[in-house]
Each structure stands twice: as structure tokens, then as C-alpha cells.
Amino acid sequence: MKSFITGASGYLGQRLAIKLAENGEKVHALIRNPKAVKTLEHPNIKFFFGDVLDNISIKTAMEGCETVFHVAALARVWTKNSDDFYKINVGGTSNVIRISQELNVSKFILTSSTGTIGPSLNLPNNEETPRWSSFNNDYEISKSLADTELLKHAANGFPGLIVMPSRIFGPGIASPSSGVNRIIIGFIKKGFAVIPKQSGVIGNYGFIEDIINGHILARDKGAIGEKYILGGENKTLGELFEAIKNRVNKNGLVLKIPVWPLSYYSLFSQFLADRFGIEPRITPDLVKRLGQNSAFDCSKAISQLGYRITPFEETIETTIRFLSQSEDR
């Protein structure tokens, strides 16, 4: 089987491309940065330079492929021009869908995000949970619009479906899309971390290897027009940091502070971003999300795809070992 992957130079796309190649499959990898070739070197991977806004490069790279994994996205909470979220995440998705239709691909897997479902209340969210809160940022809005675009075409016979990773972490290249990895690296370097006092807030943490396997299972077993949450265990913020501290530096410090200093700092950071184009370290919407539960239920993927969740303790151990070795190099 031959697969086309957009965003193959990113954190998730790179690992997916390597996994498919190691399984003996041929991969056409669409990348923007020539430096990314080094992390994707494999005899089963062929490189194509371009991006999802360039129809010619998409079509050239997709020729001869049966499956499309559309992983590419602008996955940040801020960018100088907010229109970029819609150009890339919505317009880019439309481009890849249109060319997939022209080339008559057999399966199209769109990588979305649990962020499109929004925060959870008393029970973990599933694929059918209606969004009850407003969107936090342009990234979430744009990804939700991309989902809508895919489902519209799927309703008319296009062989597309959606996978929705939660907060991804694990071994891999450095990326702004893995906040958990950045937290671990920060603790390794500094020996301390600062978190809000409301450390009982719940999040869902998905191990990257599980999520990659989920993408492949979605291709092989997923139903057209369906959504599948690909995540891990639900843990409180306090549990996450305690697990990191116990494995990195038991004598390290996890400092719990009120939310209001973070709120003021985020407003100042946002002001600098808006006025001078300086990327903010923390944004007001991120502070808002720190107070929202984001628990998710992967039962649908488990029952319909055969998705498996690696135990949290094991995944944290593996991730810290990898990142510690990377920092030592």
C-alpha cells in the first residue's frame, strides 16, 4: 500500500511516516523544510517539497497513492496573522480533499483535535458530546471548520473520516504541539515547575505511539464519515506533575500559585504580541483552559478500531527517558 502524508515533517506526521515505512509500506511525504529530510530518511519514504496551499505540489505528491493522511495543520495558540489558521487549516484541508477526489483515493484520514469538542463537565466527552462552551482560540475554530468540510464531503460519498488526538506526548522531534514534552524538558533543565493552585483540573494525555497506531487502525477499520477520539488516560494536572517530578527530580519543586498572576502575565504577553509581534509565552485563552476539565472517552476507538491505550505510568517513563537522553546529547 502507498500512502500520502501531509505535515510529514511535524511531530505526529514524522512518526507516522516512519511507522508506515517500517511496516513495509511506501510513503509519499509532503514537507516544506528541506532540513526535515534527515529525520525522515528511509528507503520506503519519498520526499515531495511543498505545502497544502500549493495544489500542484499536493497533486504531484499524491499521484499513485491509495490512502491520504492529512496531518498538516497550523497547531499553535497564536500567530502574527490569525487568518493563517483559516488559510492552512480550512483552506488547506479543502485543497487536499479536492485533489483526493480527483485522484480517486480509497481512504482519507483527517487529523483533527479533541479541542474541537471542548471542555468536559461531569463525565468524559465522547465523539457525540455537543460543544457547550465557546471556542477558546482561532486554532480550535479552524479545526472545527475543517472537520465540517470533511464531513460534508463524506456525506456525499467521499471516503473520509476523522481522528481526534488528545494532548499528545512521547518520543519524537521537538514541536510546539506537545506541551507535555515541553513541561518535562523544562523540569529536566530547571528542576522546578509552576502550576495553578487548581491542580485538580483533568486532562487527557495520549501517547504518540498509541495515536500513530490509531491512525493506521482508522485507515484499516474506520467507517466513512465517523469520528474517533485517540487519547490516553485522564489525569489531573497535579497527577501529571507529580509523575514527572518523581521520575526526573524527586527533590524538585512544583510551585502552586493562584491563577490571577498567570492571568495578568498572559494579558501583558498578549499586549506585546499584538503591539510588537513577540510570540507570547502564555495567552489568556491558555489560562482559561487551565481551569477547564478536558476528560475524554476513547471507548469508540477501542471497540470499533481495536485501539489500545498504553498505561500512563509506562508512557511517562518512556517519554522522560527519551527526553533526558536527548538533553544529554
Side-chain angles (χ1 to χ4, degrees):
M1 183 173 289
K2 189 179 293 183
S3 296
F4 169 62
I5 302 179
T6 67
S9 57
Y11 177 54
L12 177 58
Q14 186 261 357
R15 301 288 286 193
L16 176 60
I18 293 293
K19 180 76 171 184
L20 291 170
E22 289 177 344
N23 287 347
E25 300 186 29
K26 301 294 183 182
V27 175
H28 284 195
L30 184 67
I31 59 177
R32 290 190 302 163
N33 185 356
K35 294 180 180 179
V37 169
K38 187 175 180 180
T39 68
L40 286 163
E41 288 180 341
H42 192 284
N44 285 340
I45 298 177
K46 186 175 181 179
F47 306 105
F48 296 85
F49 296 100
D51 60 48
V52 295
L53 300 182
D54 179 7
N55 290 331
I56 295 175
S57 65
I58 296 171
K59 190 167 186 176
T60 301
M62 197 187 295
E63 288 278 4
C65 294
E66 298 107 305
T67 302
V68 171
F69 290 97
H70 180 36
V71 184
L74 181 57
R76 296 174 176 271
V77 294
W78 179 88
T79 187
K80 289 183 179 180
N81 186 353
S82 61
D83 288 345
D84 289 345
F85 286 107
Y86 302 94
K87 289 177 183 177
I88 296 169
N89 297 346
V90 185
T93 298
S94 295
N95 291 342
V96 181
I97 289 174
R98 183 173 60 256
I99 294 169
S100 297
Q101 289 172 319
E102 291 177 15
L103 298 180
N104 198 30
V105 302
S106 60
K107 207 70 167 284
F108 185 106
I109 296 88
L110 171 63
T111 304
S112 182
S113 165
T114 52
T116 61
I117 303 174
S120 59
L121 293 171
N122 296 327
L123 296 173
N125 289 341
N126 60 36
E127 291 84 355
E128 305 305 319
T129 303
R131 182 159 191 135
W132 58 268
S133 72
S134 60
F135 287 97
N136 287 311
N137 50 53
D138 289 296
Y139 169 72
E140 290 183 353
I141 297 171
S142 64
K143 291 298 287 182
S144 181
L145 290 172
D147 290 356
T148 300
E149 181 72 8
L150 184 281
L151 294 175
K152 178 183 70 177
H153 288 282
N156 291 319
F158 180 66
L161 56 92
I162 298 169
V163 292
M164 312 172 82
S166 61
R167 297 173 183 175
I168 308 176
F169 71 101
I173 60 176
S175 169
S177 63
S178 180
V180 177
N181 281 12
R182 295 199 308 277
I183 289 169
I184 293 171
I185 292 170
F187 206 86
I188 291 171
K189 289 181 175 179
K190 302 173 184 176
F192 74 92
V194 178
I195 64 172
K197 277 188 175 180
Q198 53 204 65
S199 57
V201 173
I202 300 171
N204 185 278
Y205 301 95
F207 188 51
I208 190 166
E209 296 302 325
D210 293 344
I211 291 171
I212 289 167
N213 289 334
H215 277 69
I216 299 171
L217 288 166
R219 177 198 66 184
D220 296 340
K221 300 180 180 180
I224 302 307
E226 293 293 333
K227 295 181 178 181
Y228 299 96
I229 293 173
L230 305 179
E233 294 185 30
N234 295 307
K235 295 289 181 180
T236 67
L237 193 62
E239 289 171 333
L240 171 67
F241 275 86
E242 197 63 27
I244 295 170
K245 176 185 173 183
N246 288 340
R247 287 163 177 78
V248 175
N249 182 356
K250 289 186 178 181
N251 295 319
L253 177 65
V254 177
L255 181 63
K256 297 181 180 180
I257 65 171
V259 172
W260 66 263
L262 294 175
S263 296
Y264 280 115
Y265 180 59
S266 72
L267 290 171
F268 178 65
S269 293
Q270 189 68 58
F271 167 77
L272 293 178
D274 294 340
R275 187 69 180 271
F276 303 107
I278 301 171
E279 183 166 2
R281 293 178 63 87
I282 186 171
T283 59
D285 68 86
L286 178 57
V287 174
K288 178 183 175 182
R289 283 186 287 134
L290 287 174
Q292 296 175 330
N293 287 325
S294 295
F296 290 93
D297 181 356
C298 302
S299 296
K300 182 177 178 181
I302 291 170
S303 63
Q304 295 187 17
L305 304 180
Y307 182 66
R308 294 184 179 182
I309 295 174
T310 306
F312 177 75
E313 297 296 326
E314 182 182 331
T315 60
I316 281 289
E317 189 82 44
T318 300
T319 304
I320 290 173
R321 189 183 311 116
F322 173 86
L323 294 175
S324 296
Q325 292 171 351
S326 298
E327 289 300 307
D328 289 340
R329 294 190 190 116

